[in-house]
Amino acid sequence: MYGPGMNRGVNQYRQSGALAEAQVADPYRLIQMLFEGALERIAVAKGAMQQGNVALKGEKIGKAIDIVESLRAVLDHKHNGELAGNLDSLYEYMSRRLLEANAKNDPVALDEVAKLLREIKAGWDDIPSEQRVARAS
């Protein structure tokens, strides 16, 4: 139905759509987008791992680590030091597990990190919109 260039077009659309959304997104949505991006890259890395595509696996795990480290870098240690400290340790652990997953071809480690990210994202998603607006002001 569609030619071989279809995937490239879809990928370009996704990238441009994500960039456009990021330009107008509030800080809460940007964090959600980081979670979504990390989860997507982990899923692609797992598929690449199962197919024996070492280059793609390494690329996607590397990008997932970059995103986790970005989440870690934006933690607000001033307003909630204990929570930020706990998340910092958890993000450090996730980065280490992703490195191990890459080195050992361990899909269980990828699943573990994805599960942790989904749990944190669920908590983030549950922040009431009134609090989001109040924090952004």
Side-chain angles (χ1 to χ4, degrees), residues 6-16:
M6 181 64 178
N7 283 342
R8 193 178 89 217
V10 169
N11 287 337
Q12 287 174 342
Y13 172 78
R14 277 189 192 155
Q15 289 172 354
S16 65

Side-chain angles (χ1 to χ4, degrees), residues 5 20 31 38-39 58-59 71 76 83-84 93 98 101 121 126 128 131 136:
I31 298 298
L39 289 165
E59 174 191 341
L71 288 165
D76 184 356
L83 177 61
Y93 172 78
L98 288 168
K121 182 183 181 305
D126 285 343
Q131 286 186 344

Side-chain angles (χ1 to χ4, degrees), residues 3 6 9-10 13 16 20 28 34-35 39 46 51 53 55 65 79 91-92 94-96 106 109 114-116 122 133:
M6 181 64 178
V10 169
Y13 172 78
S16 65
Y28 283 88
L34 289 173
F35 285 127
L39 289 165
K46 185 176 178 184
Q51 295 171 358
N53 187 336
I65 291 170
H79 289 95
Y91 289 143
E92 180 184 13
M94 286 187 225
S95 290
R96 194 169 55 249
D106 183 1
K115 180 178 183 263
L116 291 168
V133 172

Side-chain angles (χ1 to χ4, degrees), residues 63-121:
K63 288 182 179 185
I65 291 170
D66 289 344
I67 292 171
V68 169
E69 289 301 316
S70 293
L71 288 165
R72 189 174 174 202
V74 298
L75 290 171
D76 184 356
H77 292 273
K78 289 182 184 175
H79 289 95
N80 196 336
E82 183 179 353
L83 177 61
N86 290 340
L87 285 170
D88 185 73
S89 296
L90 189 55
Y91 289 143
E92 180 184 13
Y93 172 78
M94 286 187 225
S95 290
R96 194 169 55 249
R97 289 294 286 154
L98 288 168
L99 281 171
E100 291 170 4
N102 193 28
K104 298 177 181 177
N105 277 327
D106 183 1
V108 173
L110 293 178
D111 290 341
E112 176 187 4
V113 173
K115 180 178 183 263
L116 291 168
L117 284 169
R118 280 192 298 274
E119 289 175 9
I120 297 169
K121 182 183 181 305

